[in-house]
Amino acid sequence: MEKVWFDIHVVEGYASTLPTPDTAKKVASAYFKGVYKKYNIDSASYQKSLEYYYNHPKLMHEMYERVLERLSKAKERQSKLDLKRSVKPIQ
C-alpha cells in the first residue's frame, strides 16, 4: 500500500498544478487508473485498504511517514535535476 500511496500522491500533486479543476479531475482520473493497473488493484480494493488503515491509525501513521519521506526525497531529486537543466554553460 505504501507504493500505491506514493504514486497516488504524485498524481494528486501533478493534478494540483493544472489550470482548471475540470482538467485536473479528468487527468487525475486517468492517472489513478494507471496506478491501479500498475499495482493490479481497482478503486474498490484501494478504498477497502484505506478503510483498513483508517481503522488502524498507528499503522497508517507509520506508513504515511515513510511515504512523506519518499515524497520529500523525490522532490529533492527533481529540484536538483531542474537546477542542472536551468544552468547554462559559460562559453
Side-chain angles (χ1 to χ4, degrees):
M1 185 67 169
E2 189 173 322
K3 291 178 181 179
V4 175
W5 274 359
F6 176 83
D7 287 354
I8 291 289
H9 283 300
V10 169
V11 169
E12 289 173 341
Y14 172 66
S16 73
T17 67
L18 298 174
T20 62
D22 288 344
T23 301
K25 191 173 185 177
K26 288 177 187 175
V27 169
S29 177
Y31 279 113
F32 287 145
K33 289 177 185 177
V35 171
Y36 299 151
K37 185 176 180 179
K38 177 179 178 180
Y39 294 104
N40 198 30
I41 62 173
D42 58 21
S43 60
S45 59
Y46 175 70
Q47 289 301 320
K48 190 172 181 177
S49 291
L50 280 180
E51 288 175 24
Y52 172 83
Y53 286 102
Y54 288 147
N55 291 317
H56 297 87
K58 184 177 182 207
L59 289 174
M60 184 175 192
H61 176 76
E62 291 168 356
M63 189 173 355
Y64 212 79
E65 287 296 316
R66 292 189 300 270
V67 170
L68 291 175
E69 186 175 328
R70 285 186 63 202
L71 287 167
S72 178
K73 287 179 182 178
K75 183 178 179 182
E76 185 178 321
R77 280 191 308 270
Q78 188 61 48
S79 292
K80 287 178 182 178
L81 287 172
D82 291 345
L83 182 61
K84 285 181 182 179
R85 290 182 188 135
S86 68
V87 175
K88 303 209 187 278
I90 299 174
Q91 297 187 22

